[in-house]
Amino acid sequence: KTTFLYIDAFKYETYLLRCKRKFLKKIHSLNNPNFRKAAKEFNNIGATFVDDKETQLIGKKVLDRLTKEEKKLKWEVIKEGNSINLKSDLFKSFPELRELCEKILEPVINEIYKSNYKVFFGVMFKSFPFIKNPTGSQIWHSDGGPGTCINIMFYPKGVSENQGAMKFISWKNSRKILIKCDQYIKNNFNIKKASKKEIRDAKADFYENEIKNDDDIHVFQPTSDNGSVLFFRNNCVHKGGYPKENND
């Protein structure tokens, strides 16, 4: 619940500060200018997009393994969620992702946090328009986790607008409309009686209207032709993964 997150935010921030103090004793500097630039953009906007030779090479390796190991991998089709999810263990099935963590994710996150990090979980999925409407994370939302959490999307072969590339707004604008939306929900819904879907849909509609009607809000939608990575704050208002017809 939102009230829980507001109350608990301090302990996550405090924990991050403790991690920073210990980290700085061990690491004197991180010198890659591209990673520093990505971290600066992340801290300014709430998101950053990395598309370089390393992400492209690792993306190719993942795609090659997808082809070679196709019969060994286990998938779950979730038509109501417009998704096909990998059931096999992600890092065991795709050891190349450890290379991604070491070469790209870790140095960028180290620059953002100025500390080490933990991975909560990893998933692989294919978005496919089984039903003719976006659903779940394909509509505007924020994830509602601790503010220190970062979402990372890896696109092994890149992503286009037609494939449903992630859309998001800056953390500054997200914070503004999240606060307004909280008040709107409190004023118009009985939280105890309303269903989760009812509240989620109402929030999505509220975010969409705010984004459309506020000229100061810019919607970002980075795309690429090859392997690429998107980092964004889990509470930046975002949506993605609903491809147009004949795309996935």
Side-chain angles (χ1 to χ4, degrees):
K1 291 181 180 179
T2 305
T3 50
F4 168 81
L5 288 174
Y6 288 164
I7 293 169
D8 274 24
F10 178 74
K11 75 178 182 183
Y12 292 105
E13 182 70 13
T14 301
Y15 178 66
L16 177 58
L17 291 173
R18 283 171 50 203
C19 292
K20 283 183 177 182
R21 287 194 291 270
K22 291 189 177 183
F23 181 77
L24 290 173
K25 291 177 182 178
K26 297 178 182 178
I27 306 296
H28 297 294
S29 64
L30 297 165
N31 294 315
N32 188 307
N34 291 331
F35 295 152
R36 285 203 304 272
K37 181 180 178 183
K40 184 177 180 180
E41 182 177 59
F42 180 93
N43 288 323
N44 287 338
I45 298 173
T48 191
F49 195 62
V50 177
D51 175 8
D52 62 16
K53 290 181 180 179
E54 287 291 352
T55 61
Q56 293 167 16
L57 180 61
I58 297 168
K60 186 177 183 303
K61 290 179 181 179
V62 169
L63 291 172
D64 288 345
R65 187 174 294 276
L66 268 170
T67 302
K68 292 176 184 176
E69 306 287 333
E70 185 177 4
K71 293 181 180 179
K72 294 182 181 179
L73 298 170
K74 296 179 181 178
W75 300 90
E76 179 183 15
V77 177
I78 306 175
K79 290 190 174 181
E80 65 274 16
N82 288 323
S83 185
I84 304 171
N85 294 359
L86 179 71
K87 293 180 69 177
S88 311
D89 183 283
L90 179 63
F91 285 101
K92 288 181 180 177
S93 299
F94 295 91
E96 297 82 5
L97 294 178
R98 296 188 181 277
E99 187 180 357
L100 181 74
C101 286
E102 291 168 3
K103 291 185 176 180
I104 304 295
L105 308 191
E106 184 166 304
V108 172
I109 297 172
N110 285 165
E111 282 284 4
I112 291 169
Y113 283 149
K114 300 297 183 184
S115 78
N116 285 317
Y117 69 100
K118 293 180 180 179
V119 176
F120 283 168
F121 64 89
V123 296
M124 177 182 279
F125 62 92
K126 177 188 284 190
S127 297
F128 191 86
F130 289 111
I131 59 177
K132 299 303 178 183
N133 293 296
T135 184
S137 61
Q138 297 164 348
I139 60 177
W140 287 111
H141 68 285
S142 70
D143 290 347
T148 50
C149 291
I150 296 175
N151 290 359
I152 299 171
M153 304 286 290
F154 177 48
Y155 305 106
K157 60 178 179 180
V159 66
S160 69
E161 290 183 22
N162 287 342
Q163 291 173 300
M166 184 71 69
K167 292 183 178 182
F168 60 90
I169 64 174
S170 71
W171 170 238
K172 178 181 178 182
N173 285 324
S174 295
R175 184 177 180 276
K176 179 173 66 174
I177 67 173
L178 284 168
I179 292 170
K180 289 174 70 174
C181 186
D182 277 354
Q183 194 59 51
Y184 167 77
I185 295 297
K186 287 176 184 175
N187 292 341
N188 292 277
F189 292 87
N190 185 325
I191 303 298
K192 293 181 179 179
K193 292 183 178 180
S195 68
K196 287 184 179 180
K197 185 180 184 308
E198 189 179 1
I199 296 295
R200 185 184 184 111
D201 289 347
K203 286 183 175 181
D205 290 341
F206 184 90
Y207 299 146
E208 179 130 23
N209 288 331
E210 288 291 314
I211 291 167
K212 280 182 179 179
N213 296 319
D214 190 333
D215 292 336
D216 292 331
I217 295 179
H218 174 72
V219 176
F220 297 89
Q221 189 181 30
T223 61
S224 64
D225 295 324
N226 297 287
S228 49
V229 185
L230 172 64
F231 301 75
F232 62 100
R233 292 184 182 275
N234 88 108
N235 284 319
C236 277
V237 175
H238 61 279
K239 69 173 180 175
Y242 184 69
K244 292 184 178 179
E245 194 173 359
N246 299 321
N247 287 271
D248 59 44

